[in-house]
């Protein structure tokens, strides 16, 4: 069965650059969650979408934005990158009975 | 293998009753995190609690309380004086480190709580 696809798997950016992370949820899943996980940290909920509308918002910096498109894939846009943005970013696709996380995008800001 | 079991698929209670949601986990790791999430009908996933495997102290937050017992690998969640707004699907989750900086998250299948007025 298809899982949650995140791209790219790894990304290296310099400070002040912009990054875009993509998430393709499981087909027919209409909910996407983004999490940020710093080194040695637990994942932090960033933002979620339900039926292409933002449904909840967590600790997402103002420099970040996200959206869910008509095909339900989601993109997380990160601008003015800082060293502290280096983290593993998870996307989760969710249905009432099961949650599926992508394998994550490892972002390194240098 | 790591596993999270929420044996209760659905629970119905009458408002003001207390209700406990069970969660039993299996893991080989000595360091792990346990979570509870709430998913209301609107669909978002609401983080409720995280518990570090080294912290067995129980926690109370308003009407919510959690009982973590490593001896029985359980992390149960109790809602006191339930309210209709508590109606949701509740997920217990386990995160473990696979490699340095990489984690795997295991959710239970969820318990659907219906609080009747």
């Amino acid at each position: 069965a298809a899982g949650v696809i995140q791209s790219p798997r790894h990304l290296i950016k310099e400070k002040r650059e912009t990054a875009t992370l993509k998430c393709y949820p499981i087909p027919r899943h209409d909910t996407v969650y983004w999490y940020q996980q710093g080194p040695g940290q637990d994942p932090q909920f960033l933002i979620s979408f339900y039926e292409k509308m933002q449904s909840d918002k967590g600790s997402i910096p103002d420099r970040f934005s996200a959206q869910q498109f008509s095909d339900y894939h989601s993109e997380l846009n990160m601008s003015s990158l800082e060293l502290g943005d280096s983290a593993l970013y998870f996307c989760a696709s969710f249905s009432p009975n099961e949650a599926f996380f992508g394998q994550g995008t490892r972002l390194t800001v240098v | 293998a790591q596993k999270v079991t929420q044996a209760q698929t659905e629970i119905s209670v009458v408002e003001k009753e207390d209700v406990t949601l069970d969660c039993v986990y299996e893991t080989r790791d000595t360091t792990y995190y346990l979570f509870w999430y709430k998913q209301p009908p609107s669909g978002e996933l609401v983080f409720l609690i995280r518990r570090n495997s080294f912290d067995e102290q129980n926690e109370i937050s308003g009407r919510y309380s959690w009982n973590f017992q490593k001896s029985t690998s359980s992390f149960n969640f109790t809602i006191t004086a339930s309210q209709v707004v508590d109606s949701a699907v509740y997920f217990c989750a386990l995160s473990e480190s696979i490699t340095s900086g990489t984690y795997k998250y295991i959710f239970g299948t969820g318990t659907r709580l219906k609080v009747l007025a």
Side-chain angles (χ1 to χ4, degrees), chain A residues 29-32 49-55 68-69 72:
Chain A
H29 283 199
D30 51 18
T31 308
V32 168
F49 292 89
Y50 171 65
E51 280 292 342
K52 294 160 279 185
M53 299 288 289
Q54 180 182 313
S55 58
Q68 187 178 29
F69 294 86
Y72 295 109

Side-chain angles (χ1 to χ4, degrees), chain B residues 69-84:
Chain B
Q69 298 205 349
K70 281 182 84 170
S71 61
T72 56
S73 296
S74 65
F75 187 42
N76 297 337
F77 172 33
T78 297
I79 301 175
T80 302
S82 59
Q83 301 175 1
V84 173

Side-chain angles (χ1 to χ4, degrees), chain A residues 33 37 42-43 94 96-97 101, chain B residues 39 43 45 50 91 103 105 107:
Chain A
Y33 302 84
Q37 185 180 34
D42 59 302
F94 204 78
N97 293 313
F101 280 92
Chain B
Q39 186 185 41
L45 195 61
R50 175 198 69 195
F91 292 87
Y103 293 84
Y105 300 89
F107 279 79

Side-chain angles (χ1 to χ4, degrees), chain B:
Chain B
Q2 59 219 21
K3 183 179 179 181
V4 175
T5 300
Q6 293 179 255
Q8 305 148 309
T9 303
E10 185 168 315
I11 300 176
S12 293
V13 298
V14 177
E15 208 170 17
K16 296 189 177 64
E17 286 186 347
D18 299 347
V19 58
T20 295
L21 310 182
D22 298 333
C23 174
V24 175
Y25 64 94
E26 297 176 21
T27 179
R28 289 187 295 264
D29 279 10
T30 56
T31 301
Y32 53 89
Y33 288 98
L34 292 163
F35 300 83
W36 274 97
Y37 290 89
K38 173 184 178 181
Q39 186 185 41
S42 52
E44 71 270 24
L45 195 61
V46 179
F47 169 81
L48 296 178
I49 190 171
R50 175 198 69 195
R51 176 61 77 226
N52 182 302
S53 54
F54 294 108
D55 180 6
E56 289 193 68
Q57 189 172 16
N58 291 328
E59 183 165 334
I60 297 175
S61 176
R63 296 184 296 107
Y64 295 169
S65 62
W66 290 270
N67 184 350
F68 176 34
Q69 298 205 349
K70 281 182 84 170
S71 61
T72 56
S73 296
S74 65
F75 187 42
N76 297 337
F77 172 33
T78 297
I79 301 175
T80 302
S82 59
Q83 301 175 1
V84 173
V85 293
D86 295 327
S87 297
V89 179
Y90 290 84
F91 292 87
C92 178
L94 166 70
S95 75
E96 295 180 324
S97 175
I98 300 176
T99 62
S100 176
T102 304
Y103 293 84
K104 181 175 181 179
Y105 300 89
I106 302 294
F107 279 79
T109 51
T111 296
R112 184 177 298 277
L113 174 65
K114 293 184 178 179
V115 181
L116 307 174

Side-chain angles (χ1 to χ4, degrees), chain A residues 1-22:
Chain A
V4 177
I5 306 298
Q6 288 188 246
S7 67
R9 291 292 307 280
H10 302 274
L11 189 60
I12 300 176
K13 290 285 186 178
E14 295 186 351
K15 283 192 301 184
R16 293 179 288 278
E17 284 192 322
T18 298
T20 297
L21 310 185
K22 296 184 179 182

